[in-house]
Amino acid sequence: MARLPVYLRILVEQADEEVDSISSDRLAELAGVNAAKVRKDLSYLGSYGTRGVGYEVAYLVYQIRRELGLTHDWPVVIVGAGNLGQALAGYGGFGERGFPVAGIVDVDPAKVGSVLGGVRVRHIDELSQIVQSRRVNIGVIATPSAGAQDAAERLVRAGVTSILNFAPVVLSVPRSIEVRKVDLAVELQILSYHEQRRATQSTGLRSVGGLGTPGATATSRPASA
Amino acid sequence: MARLPVYLRILVEQADEEVDSISSDRLAELAGVNAAKVRKDLSYLGSYGTRGVGYEVAYLVYQIRRELGLTHDWPVVIVGAGNLGQALAGYGGFGERGFPVAGIVDVDPAKVGSVLGGVRVRHIDELSQIVQSRRVNIGVIATPSAGAQDAAERLVRAGVTSILNFAPVVLSVPRSIEVRKVDLAVELQILSYHEQRRATQSTGLRSVGGLGTPGATATSRPASA
DNA sequence: CATTGTGAAGCGTTTCACAGCC
DNA sequence: GGCTGTGAAACGCTTCACAATG
């Protein structure tokens, strides 16, 4: 599931380069995964490749877009106009990829009014109004930890049904709400874990064991030709 | 593995609130996971709880920190001083959590010299020098997609052994390098997939099936008392 | 007697391996 | 001949269930 967006990006790139047919082998190589996995994944879409040939790029792009619901835009609203909120709003790739920023809100009246990436920061009390008038389904939480739960509750009350949470807290929301979390500290700590293993392994300071590193965890394999 | 940092954060919070003993049940509730999972996870650390009582918070914090290699700081270097790089540098929580920003570099001479979050932006040619003098092991790629592979190669050449990549591309690096990826577009597209399912399910436009949503995927469960 | 630690079962995902097809 | 589609095996992670124990 998390791989479909990756395939999609690669396929779009390939289409830009006038490639119109691709094998599972090649796609796997570009995506840094196993070819059998690519075929299994694509088989769930019900879309068919051609045996002996491969998959038609344009058709696959269409199918994946369809499956992911990317046939139309999904406006998002950002809660929190601090460093991160500003960066997200300013990052053009958001709108480009079908997720235009319908609004940014903050609790701090001092932040209201400034313009970020073409969108004016509004007060959080206007959240419901933005969500309703712009038909927003997806909310992004870019507040400090302390404000995240409140932001989530406001988003849910406003009618948002999916949340992307950048705050390092476990949100408590109704189970019908889809939540995804991006936690920078967690990512860095996982890297730190590997660095530490590296260090202790070579010096033999610690005996054995530790948590598993099956093969090459989350690591991208070289994909050059 | 990815859960240890979450436990750690919660345990530190609990310690701040003067809680000195915690059961797997309670920790599981706060972390939004199953209690058996917590116990299994903690058992890998070799750290022992007390049957009938629970785990000693301070001791667990120490053990997890140790396992994750968080007993000392890991300076990081950020490549790319655009929106995201700026936000990352400006985000204080980075240094607080043991990952001080040792430097920010950019290819664009126009960006060099400005100061972000107390760190002056330097030219990418100085990367090696920063990595070596500051003993940096972890690099963060915050460049546009087009520059990411080059950034990765420079980081590796400079001696970095772990990379956190925010660019939506599959990096090709030696297998000894640990890479983690944070892809905002992928996260949003996964949410879009769920939104789309929601929409089609209720209107019955599409028949059945689709990719699995086992239970409540990646969703945090309510954890209130 | 509440709670840990852990074998064993359950389950979803990955990989293999090859039949089927163009 | 080359490549897809897919049963079946392998694997790893999650959950159960309960014996062990402070």
Side-chain angles (χ1 to χ4, degrees), chain A residues 7 24-25 28 33-43 55:
Chain A
Y7 298 154
S24 58
D25 254 333
V33 301
N34 175 299
K37 204 186 287 186
V38 168
R39 293 199 295 277
K40 264 269 150 78
D41 288 346
L42 297 183
S43 76
Y55 300 85

Side-chain angles (χ1 to χ4, degrees), chain B residues 75-100:
Chain B
V76 303
V77 64
I78 299 173
V79 182
N83 269 310
L84 184 60
Q86 290 179 33
L88 294 176
Y91 170 57
F94 242 147
E96 264 170 48
R97 287 169 184 273
F99 300 93

Side-chain angles (χ1 to χ4, degrees), chain B residues 51 54 98 138 201:
Chain B
R51 294 175 194 226
I138 301 177
Q201 265 171 3

Side-chain angles (χ1 to χ4, degrees), chain A residues 5 9 66-68 83 90 94 161-162 168 171 176 179-180 187-189 192-193 195-196 198 218 220, chain B residues 5 9 66-68 83 90 94 161-162 168 171 175-176 179-180 187-189 192-193 195-196 198 218 220:
Chain A
R9 181 169 38 70
R66 187 184 155 82
E67 182 70 22
L68 291 177
N83 269 310
F94 242 147
T161 43
S162 287
L171 295 180
S176 63
V179 177
R180 306 226 20 123
E187 298 301 324
L188 285 172
Q189 286 172 9
S192 141
Y193 165 72
E195 285 300 324
Q196 182 254 11
R198 218 185 281 267
S220 21
Chain B
R9 182 168 36 72
R66 188 184 154 82
E67 182 71 22
L68 291 177
N83 269 310
F94 242 147
T161 43
S162 287
L171 295 179
R175 63 153 56 68
S176 63
V179 177
R180 305 224 22 122
E187 298 300 324
L188 286 172
Q189 286 172 9
S192 140
Y193 165 73
E195 286 299 326
Q196 181 253 10
R198 218 185 281 268
S220 21

